[in-house]
Amino acid sequence: MTVQVMTPAIAQVPAEQRLLLEGVSWQQYELLLATLGDDFPALRLSYLEGSLEIMTTSPLHEELKSTIRMLLEAFFQTFRIRYHCIGSATFRKMAKQRGLEPDECYCLGQKKDFPDLAIEIVLTSGLVDKLEIYRGLGVKEVWVWEAGQFRINHLREDGYEQLSSSELLPNCDIQLLASYVKPEEQFDAVMAFREQLRSLQ
C-alpha cells in the first residue's frame, strides 16, 4: 500500500488536507467506514478501484455546502419540486468498486437507492476522479462548485457531459443561483434569493 499526502493548494483554506492510499481492498474500505462511522463528520472517503482518498473538510468548505443546500432547497420549495435530501450519506457499489460521500445530494420526486443530483465543493485538487466514482454509481447530475461558479455534469452513456444548464432542473438559472452563494451572509443571501424566485413565478 502506498501513501500520498497533499497539502492544501490554497493557503487561505486551513485544515483541508487529502491523503491517498493505494492498494486498498474493498474489505479494508468497508472496515474503515464501519470504524469511523458517524464519529468523524468532517472526513470524506472516496474509493475508486483500490485507490482511497481521505479528505478533511475546512470551515469554508462546510459553509459553502450549507449555503448551496439552503439556496437549492429554497428553489425546490418555491417551485414545489418534490425532493428528498440525503446530505453526506455514504453511497457505494461493491460490483463497481466505487464509494463516496457527496457534500450534499438529492433524490428528485421520491427517495431512491442513489441520488439524482450530487453537489461537490472543490477548494483543493482531488487525488481520485470523483466523476468516475459517480458514473459507476449512476448519479445523473453532479454540480461542482469551484472558483465561484458551478460546473454542471450530466451523465451520458459514455460518461459525464459538461453543460451550461441542468437537465434535471431546466428552470433553475445556474448563474443566478451562483450569484447568491455568499457563505459570509447566508441568511440574507437565502432570503434575497427567495424574493428573487418569487418575482420569477
Side-chain angles (χ1 to χ4, degrees):
M1 183 187 301
T2 60
V3 180
Q4 177 184 349
V5 180
M6 192 193 86
T7 55
I10 302 174
Q12 302 93 311
V13 184
E16 184 162 294
Q17 297 183 348
R18 298 171 188 266
L19 172 72
L20 183 65
L21 304 176
E22 297 284 5
V24 179
S25 70
W26 182 260
Q27 292 73 22
Q28 289 170 322
Y29 166 57
E30 290 207 316
L31 180 60
L32 263 175
L33 288 174
T35 302
L36 295 173
D38 297 325
D39 297 332
F40 299 91
L43 286 182
R44 297 283 187 275
L45 274 64
S46 302
Y47 183 83
L48 176 61
E49 298 176 335
S51 297
L52 176 65
E53 178 188 89
I54 303 174
M55 171 189 163
T56 61
T57 61
S58 67
L60 176 58
H61 183 281
E62 295 302 287
E63 289 172 19
L64 282 165
K65 79 154 195 162
S66 296
T67 304
I68 291 168
R69 181 192 72 236
M70 289 186 282
L71 292 169
L72 257 181
E73 291 176 9
F75 174 81
F76 292 145
Q77 293 157 8
T78 301
F79 292 98
R80 298 189 176 277
I81 298 170
R82 294 188 67 86
Y83 69 96
H84 188 93
C85 180
I86 314 176
S88 297
T90 301
F91 295 95
R92 58 191 186 272
K93 277 187 181 179
M94 184 174 69
K96 298 288 187 178
Q97 293 287 292
R98 286 159 169 79
L100 50 56
E101 298 88 21
D103 286 320
E104 291 290 346
C105 65
Y106 299 90
C107 295
L108 302 182
Q110 69 281 341
K111 185 178 179 181
K112 307 175 182 80
D113 291 336
F114 292 90
D116 297 303
L117 171 63
I119 309 294
E120 286 291 332
I121 309 301
V122 175
L123 298 177
T124 56
S125 301
L127 301 175
V128 296
D129 185 348
K130 281 195 173 182
L131 283 181
E132 182 59 23
I133 300 175
Y134 280 117
R135 186 185 68 80
L137 299 177
V139 176
K140 293 177 186 174
E141 269 189 12
V142 181
W143 293 14
V144 179
W145 175 262
E146 186 174 16
Q149 61 185 356
F150 288 104
R151 289 198 322 270
I152 310 298
N153 302 281
H154 193 90
L155 185 60
R156 305 294 188 204
E157 196 170 314
D158 57 348
Y160 283 97
E161 178 185 2
Q162 193 167 319
L163 304 175
S164 58
S165 60
S166 169
E167 290 189 4
L168 285 180
L169 301 171
N171 295 330
C172 183
D173 184 329
I174 300 301
Q175 285 72 36
L176 178 66
L177 178 67
S179 72
Y180 285 94
V181 180
K182 301 174 182 178
E184 69 283 355
E185 47 188 272
Q186 285 180 352
F187 181 83
D188 292 334
V190 173
M191 294 304 290
F193 184 59
R194 282 185 182 274
E195 288 299 317
Q196 182 69 37
L197 292 176
R198 289 191 191 104
S199 73
L200 299 175
Q201 285 183 297

